């Protein structure tokens, strides 16, 4: 069994438990549920850098990246640096994140926030909205075509942007539908954890122009972004590169300065 399959098995158990603890009505009564969301896709369209900076404590491939930062400082730092949006990992077991991280980020900045999570149930989309997210991530590798349609249409009803992540052509072909705002290409092979920007380059020509193209994973240099922009990418998800430094916000700021 690969890591993704293990995560999904654990996620199903986790979501089943959460549903018994916090009913849907309680999520819908959250103050943030009424908040007007900010479109990340629109932000990327008008952005020079296109950086979506991530808060990420650890990962299955890298173990601990940074346990010392608090989310408040990271979110403020990213906003001051001029990023287009912020991604917050909310998976606890494998990434050390939580929904409270999303809540803290929401309280500390006005950036569009992406809930980075392994979504396998509509309940998690309601959670995203209730905890202050503007965008959800759907991962094609763990969802059927009908699930992608169901979840993305549900997210749109809640005024959330949808970023759909693919790893190969097969996933991309089953995923293209009007209820998505952004198509993200993950350069990391989730079975082997190898990273190659060639994945983004190869798939770029197959993504219709009406979707915002986002490249994810393994982006650590300004050169990589310049290269990917030539292939039509407008968004770049960067986590580890900033999180492994002493000051994520400052690191993002310097990176964006270099892009100018």
């Amino acid at each position: 069994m690969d890591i993704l399959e293990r995560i999904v098995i654990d996620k199903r158990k986790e979501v089943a438990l959460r549903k018994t603890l916090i009913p849907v009505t309680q999520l819908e009564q959250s103050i943030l549920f009424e908040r007007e969301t900010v479109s990340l896709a629109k932000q990327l369209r008008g952005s020079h850098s296109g950086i979506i900076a991530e808060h990420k404590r650890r990962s299955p491939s890298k173990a601990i990246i940074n346990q010392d930062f608090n989310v408040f400082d990271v979110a403020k730092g990213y906003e001051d640096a001029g990023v287009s949006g912020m991604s917050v990992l909310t998976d606890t077991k494998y990434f050390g994140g939580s929904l409270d991280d999303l809540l803290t980020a929401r309280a500390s900045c006005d950036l569009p926030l992406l809930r980075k999570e392994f979504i396998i149930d509509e309940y998690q989309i309601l959670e995203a909205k209730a905890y202050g997210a503007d965008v959800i991530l759907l991962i094609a590798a763990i969802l059927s075509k009908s699930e992608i349609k169901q979840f993305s249409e549900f997210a749109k009803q809640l005024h959330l942007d949808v970023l759909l992540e693919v790893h190969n052509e097969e996933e991309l072909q089953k995923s293209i539908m009007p209820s998505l705002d952004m198509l993200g290409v993950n350069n990391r092979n989730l079975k082997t954890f190898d990273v190659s920007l060639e994945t983004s380059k190869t798939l770029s020509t197959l993504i219709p122009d009406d979707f915002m193209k986002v490249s994810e994973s393994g982006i650590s240099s300004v050169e990589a972004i310049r290269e990917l922009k030539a292939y039509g990418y407008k968004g770049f998800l960067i986590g580890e590169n900033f999180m492994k430094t002493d000051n994520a916000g400052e690191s993002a700021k310097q990176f964006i300065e270099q892009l100018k």
Side-chain angles (χ1 to χ4, degrees):
M1 194 189 297
D2 65 45
I3 184 75
L4 199 54
E5 288 169 319
R6 275 215 305 279
I7 290 174
V8 170
I9 287 168
D10 286 337
K11 193 57 64 180
R12 290 197 190 283
K13 292 177 193 160
E14 182 196 313
V15 173
L17 176 62
R18 291 166 90 95
K19 281 172 146 178
T20 63
L21 296 172
I22 302 176
V24 164
T25 48
Q26 196 175 324
L27 291 174
E28 290 174 339
Q29 283 159 9
S30 142
I31 284 179
L32 289 171
F33 208 84
E34 297 305 314
R35 177 183 156 269
E36 201 171 314
T37 51
V38 184
S39 169
L40 176 60
K42 276 189 188 147
Q43 294 277 87
L44 290 176
R45 209 162 273 128
S47 163
H48 165 71
S49 77
I51 305 288
I52 305 159
E54 190 156 81
H55 180 270
K56 180 182 191 177
R57 291 189 182 86
R58 55 187 165 87
S59 77
S61 62
K62 279 288 193 302
I64 290 173
I65 297 164
N66 198 321
Q67 299 278 39
D68 302 330
F69 289 160
N70 73 61
V71 184
F72 188 89
D73 291 339
V74 173
K76 280 209 87 48
Y78 280 159
E79 186 168 42
D80 293 344
V83 303
S84 301
M86 178 174 175
S87 164
V88 182
L89 272 142
T90 60
D91 174 80
T92 306
K93 182 169 181 180
Y94 295 90
F95 292 88
S98 71
L99 275 165
D100 282 345
D101 288 342
L102 188 57
L103 212 49
T104 304
R106 180 74 292 149
S108 12
C109 72
D110 293 318
L111 291 167
L113 295 182
L114 164 71
R115 180 185 187 188
K116 186 91 172 285
E117 183 54 270
F118 299 86
I119 290 181
I120 42 92
D121 193 298
E122 279 188 3
Y123 181 83
Q124 293 162 287
I125 302 172
L126 288 168
E127 280 182 328
K129 177 79 170 168
Y131 281 80
D134 301 278
V135 195
I136 59 153
L137 175 77
L138 296 178
I139 302 172
I142 61 174
L143 300 170
S144 65
K145 184 172 185 167
S146 62
E147 284 173 325
I148 293 168
K149 186 174 191 296
Q150 177 195 340
F151 296 160
S152 56
E153 287 177 356
F154 185 61
K156 297 314 292 173
Q157 285 169 23
L158 296 174
H159 305 291
L160 294 168
D161 269 10
V162 181
L163 168 63
L164 183 107
E165 173 179 302
V166 299
H167 301 85
N168 56 43
E169 186 176 344
E170 187 189 352
E171 289 174 9
L172 179 61
Q173 296 305 354
K174 76 169 181 186
S175 305
I176 294 172
M177 54 187 80
S179 44
L180 308 174
D181 302 283
M182 295 163 281
L183 273 162
V185 177
N186 193 336
N187 301 305
R188 177 173 281 118
N189 180 321
L190 290 182
K191 290 180 172 30
T192 63
F193 278 98
D194 294 338
V195 174
S196 168
L197 292 184
E198 291 308 311
T199 312
S200 278
K201 293 176 185 176
T202 308
L203 293 182
S204 67
T205 55
L206 305 172
I207 300 173
D209 289 339
D210 31 355
F211 298 104
M212 187 61 61
K213 295 180 196 177
V214 178
S215 185
E216 308 169 17
S217 295
I219 301 169
S220 56
S221 69
V222 168
E223 287 65 44
I225 288 190
R226 292 203 178 110
E227 240 177 87
L228 291 164
K229 278 187 172 182
Y231 286 83
Y233 285 91
K234 284 272 177 38
F236 309 93
L237 187 73
I238 303 179
E240 224 165 276
N241 204 45
F242 304 146
M243 288 298 291
K244 68 184 180 190
T245 63
D246 295 333
N247 185 327
E250 191 52 43
S251 162
K253 190 177 179 180
Q254 287 170 7
F255 193 91
I256 289 170
E257 287 291 316
Q258 287 172 13
L259 263 177
K260 287 177 181 169

